[in-house]
Amino acid sequence: PHSAAQMAGRMMGKRKDRLCRCLQSPEKALFRTWFRVAQSRACSIMFLLIWAALCGMGIWLGPQFLLKTSTENDPPPGSPSYIAHDVFKKQFPEKATDSSVIVYITHTEAYRSVSILSNATREFTRMVNETLSTNKVVKRIDGYYIHEKTLPLVAMNFVSPQENATFLLITCNSRHGRGAINEVASILRKKVERMHKPGGLLAQSNQTAYMLGEVVMIYDSQLEATQNLALMDAIVLPLALLIFAFFLHSLTLMIIPLVSVGVTIIVGFAFMYPIACYVKVAAFAPSVMMVLSIAMSIDYSLFLLTRYREEILVNKRNNKDSVCLMLYHAGRTVFVSGITLLITFATLMLFPLQAFRSMGMAACIAITLAILVSLSLTPALLLLFPWFFRRFLSCPKCCRARCCCRGKAHTQFTHTAITTHAPTGTGTGTDTDTAEAPSAHTPRDTSLDTDTDTDT
């Protein structure tokens, strides 16, 4: 027969041996190296500073990336339309970079039979011409009252056959950048909206004006994409966090997925900005990045933190061992799952259309950052602030009795072992230096004897 102290010493030794064998498997060289890095306090601080610096860069470059997106779709290289566009661009470089805005003017429904050629239309043309004539992006403005005296035949081309509608053609130079062109569309949109208000020129003359064309379409698409991102944050993120809270039962741990989502999105937009400066990025690429960042960050955080919570509450391990086992079991699942998804989205870059290529690049950047944030920033936060994230951990009602019974038996058994005879090599038996012994009244913990991730 063996005393309780000897049994406790053997059990602690076996548990530490299993932990060492688990982390020193030859086929896990990559993860073994990552464990050594992740367990270091200096490396955790370094990870925290690196991600903070990248977030600062993202706050500056992220909004600029949203302005760089485009709704233009270039033809596939080598196609007849691509060759024709390339030849035309070489012979007429000025014309190839032109973009247009059309302002369509007509009467309201009750006054459609009245001629549009009136003093109100003349005044509207003059006001638009004065507003945009000094803008460097605008090359010229064409309309009936612009060419009425000099080119009367040309001027009639801007009036409908029934003379109940006319339009202004505003030509812009795309070489000044998408931001400058969007500014022209914004100025013109605000001008027209003011004229539609009660007391405005269009409201008094029973006329209405519409804006259309390539420039306006791109401007509205980018504006709509920005609004959709805000709506997505307001609806999708709270629902995902509600599911997250249901499984973890911890308010403090919910901070980690929020941080992961924010860092992934901000840094992802920053990385996409230099790409958008040289390659046309589809206007829906930011939305794709937002969806993937929220989904992957919360999913990977759920894998990791569920395992962390289980090691702390059920297996009664200290913080450092819990983080280590979290990375070993759930971290491998996150890594393999992320790489699989990354390869899947990378195939989009093989398509000849630039819209699909840009979406593939955006998706790959979002997934890569979600993996890196989950495997570096999450363990860094848990190691640097253990007192905060463990403070409000609690068990759900379904397993509270089991966890409490295991914890009570474990506490009594460990107290007897330590006070009676401290095992050799266990030091002072503190929580931070040794792995605690399991309860004598509970089944043997085999979670370290297998590579299977119970969370998955």
Side-chain angles (χ1 to χ4, degrees), residues 297-370:
S297 296
I298 293 182
D299 187 34
Y300 295 159
S301 295
L302 185 62
F303 278 138
L304 294 169
L305 298 179
T306 302
R307 184 72 193 199
Y308 173 78
R309 182 177 176 278
E310 179 184 348
E311 296 297 336
I312 292 290
L313 293 178
V314 180
N315 296 332
K316 304 298 179 183
R317 299 188 187 276
N318 59 50
N319 187 72
K320 190 174 182 179
D321 286 349
S322 299
V323 174
C324 184
L325 290 169
M326 175 193 75
L327 286 175
Y328 178 76
H329 290 288
R332 287 190 299 134
T333 303
V334 168
F335 182 78
V336 175
S337 172
I339 292 299
T340 304
L341 199 61
L342 186 66
I343 295 173
T344 303
F345 276 98
T347 57
L348 290 175
M349 291 187 284
L350 302 178
F351 281 76
L353 295 178
Q354 186 58 37
F356 287 99
R357 289 181 177 178
S358 63
M359 185 176 69
M361 287 186 288
C364 289
I365 288 177
I367 295 171
T368 302
L369 288 173

Side-chain angles (χ1 to χ4, degrees), residues 3 17 36 41 52 72 133 151 170 175 188 190 208 212 230 238 303-304 314 330 332 347 352 359 397 453:
S3 64
D17 290 341
R36 292 180 184 144
R41 182 178 179 84
E72 301 175 6
S133 59
L151 299 171
I170 304 169
R175 289 185 175 182
L188 190 57
K190 293 178 181 177
T208 183
L212 60 151
F303 278 138
L304 294 169
V314 180
R332 287 190 299 134
T347 57
M359 185 176 69
K397 293 182 180 180
D453 185 3

Side-chain angles (χ1 to χ4, degrees), residues 103-350:
V103 182
Y104 174 76
I105 312 163
T106 185
H107 281 290
T108 56
E109 191 68 29
Y111 297 89
R112 287 291 167 84
S113 59
V114 181
S115 176
I116 196 64
L117 302 178
S118 61
N119 291 331
T121 308
R122 186 191 301 273
E123 181 65 15
F124 177 84
T125 304
R126 185 191 66 79
M127 294 175 67
V128 171
N129 192 21
E130 287 182 355
T131 302
L132 300 179
S133 59
T134 57
N135 196 303
K136 63 180 182 179
V137 179
V138 178
K139 296 178 65 174
R140 67 176 184 274
I141 301 176
D142 299 311
Y144 176 81
Y145 288 106
I146 301 293
H147 303 293
E148 178 188 15
K149 297 180 179 179
T150 56
L151 299 171
L153 295 179
V154 174
M156 290 305 300
N157 292 325
F158 294 90
V159 182
S160 64
Q162 293 80 17
E163 294 188 0
N164 58 357
T166 184
F167 69 93
L168 299 176
L169 180 61
I170 304 169
T171 305
C172 302
N173 192 343
S174 300
R175 289 185 175 182
H176 293 280
R178 179 57 54 188
I181 295 179
N182 287 343
E183 184 179 356
V184 172
S186 177
I187 293 173
L188 190 57
R189 175 70 57 81
K190 293 178 181 177
K191 188 76 174 179
V192 172
E193 288 177 353
R194 283 196 299 267
M195 293 183 184
H196 276 109
K197 292 181 179 179
L201 177 63
L202 296 176
Q204 291 179 350
S205 59
N206 298 314
Q207 292 180 351
T208 183
Y210 303 96
M211 292 175 55
L212 60 151
E214 177 187 2
V215 174
V216 179
M217 182 179 65
I218 295 175
Y219 172 75
D220 288 340
S221 298
Q222 293 179 344
L223 189 64
E224 186 70 18
T226 305
Q227 295 174 352
N228 287 339
L229 293 179
L231 183 63
M232 192 180 304
D233 287 341
I235 297 178
V236 177
L237 193 56
L239 290 177
L241 291 176
L242 186 64
I243 298 174
F244 190 89
F246 175 77
F247 282 99
L248 282 185
H249 300 272
S250 174
L251 294 177
T252 54
L253 288 181
M254 287 182 61
I255 298 176
I256 292 181
L258 282 175
V259 173
S260 300
V261 170
V263 171
T264 304
I265 293 173
I266 293 174
V267 179
F269 283 4
F271 284 176
M272 283 298 297
Y273 173 74
I275 297 176
C277 291
Y278 298 97
V279 178
K280 289 183 180 179
V281 177
F284 54 84
S287 300
V288 173
M289 294 186 70
M290 285 281 293
V291 171
L292 288 175
S293 297
I294 294 175
M296 296 299 101
S297 296
I298 293 182
D299 187 34
Y300 295 159
S301 295
L302 185 62
F303 278 138
L304 294 169
L305 298 179
T306 302
R307 184 72 193 199
Y308 173 78
R309 182 177 176 278
E310 179 184 348
E311 296 297 336
I312 292 290
L313 293 178
V314 180
N315 296 332
K316 304 298 179 183
R317 299 188 187 276
N318 59 50
N319 187 72
K320 190 174 182 179
D321 286 349
S322 299
V323 174
C324 184
L325 290 169
M326 175 193 75
L327 286 175
Y328 178 76
H329 290 288
R332 287 190 299 134
T333 303
V334 168
F335 182 78
V336 175
S337 172
I339 292 299
T340 304
L341 199 61
L342 186 66
I343 295 173
T344 303
F345 276 98
T347 57
L348 290 175
M349 291 187 284
L350 302 178

Side-chain angles (χ1 to χ4, degrees), residues 18-38:
R18 290 201 303 270
L19 179 62
C20 293
R21 289 198 307 269
C22 178
L23 302 182
Q24 293 178 359
S25 302
E27 68 273 11
K28 306 296 186 300
L30 176 62
F31 286 94
R32 187 167 66 248
T33 304
W34 186 255
F35 291 148
R36 292 180 184 144
V37 174

